[in-house]
């Protein structure tokens, strides 16, 4: 059977991002990763391929060995349903460090507590109090 999972391209921050995400979200882990070797001197030591799980969802990522003029866009985001005020507040506070609020944590017509943010790695997240 085929698998579908997000595949994230970072520009040098893949390891820091996945380590941050796995430490923050319960039931998460880094499953496997490979680093670039000496054959890619500009990327040596960076993530060539990695697989991690966020709350059971598999995600692949890597560091592009070639610089790009584009990065992540808010049109793709991780959507997290939270069960408690403390949970949503903890996630939002942690991922806003060095990031940017696209929709600050607040009450909106579609949700009593919701936030949409871009973290310091450029990834977008939506948090909803279920």
């Amino acid at each position: 059977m085929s698998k579908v999972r997000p595949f994230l391209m970072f520009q040098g921050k893949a390891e820091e991002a996945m380590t941050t995400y796995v430490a923050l979200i319960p039931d998460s882990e880094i499953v496997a990763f490979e680093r670039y070797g000496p054959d890619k001197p500009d990327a040596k030591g960076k993530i060539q391929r990695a697989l991690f799980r966020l709350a059971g969802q598999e995600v692949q990522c890597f560091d592009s060995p070639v610089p790009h003029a584009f990065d992540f866009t808010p049109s793709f985001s991780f959507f997290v349903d939270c069960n408690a005020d403390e949970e949503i507040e903890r996630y939002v506070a942690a991922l806003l460090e060095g990031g940017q609020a696209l929709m600050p944590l607040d009450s909106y017509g579609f949700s009593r507590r919701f936030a949409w943010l871009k973290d310091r790695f450029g990834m977008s997240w939506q948090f909803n109090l279920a």
Side-chain angles (χ1 to χ4, degrees):
M1 174 183 231
S2 298
K3 280 193 168 190
V4 176
R5 62 182 156 235
F7 190 95
L8 309 177
M9 181 188 75
F10 291 91
Q11 296 190 57
K13 299 285 186 178
E15 185 170 12
E16 184 181 356
M18 71 177 168
T19 300
T20 298
Y21 303 157
V22 164
L24 181 64
I25 310 279
D27 188 28
S28 300
E29 65 178 331
I30 296 172
V31 177
F33 65 91
E34 298 171 32
R35 296 184 188 281
Y36 289 105
D39 58 320
K40 295 274 190 206
D42 292 344
K44 184 179 176 189
K46 298 294 181 183
I47 299 297
Q48 182 175 7
R49 179 184 2 215
L51 177 66
F52 63 102
R53 286 191 194 99
L54 292 178
Q57 168 66 53
E58 287 187 343
V59 179
Q60 282 187 261
C61 71
F62 83 117
D63 284 315
S64 175
V66 177
H68 296 279
F70 57 86
D71 209 348
F72 298 116
T73 170
S75 65
F76 176 88
S77 59
F78 286 114
F79 192 97
V80 181
D81 284 313
C82 300
N83 295 317
D85 285 316
E86 300 78 23
E87 182 183 25
I88 195 170
E89 289 167 4
R90 181 171 60 87
Y91 291 152
V92 169
L95 291 173
L96 267 179
E97 287 182 24
Q100 170 190 9
L102 303 175
M103 291 177 73
L105 182 59
D106 206 345
S107 175
Y108 295 92
F110 57 86
S111 174
R112 63 186 175 101
R113 293 207 76 197
F114 176 85
W116 193 340
L117 61 93
K118 184 175 179 179
D119 69 24
R120 69 180 182 266
F121 309 108
M123 179 54 52
S124 293
W125 296 79
Q126 295 183 63
F127 293 96
N128 183 54
L129 185 59

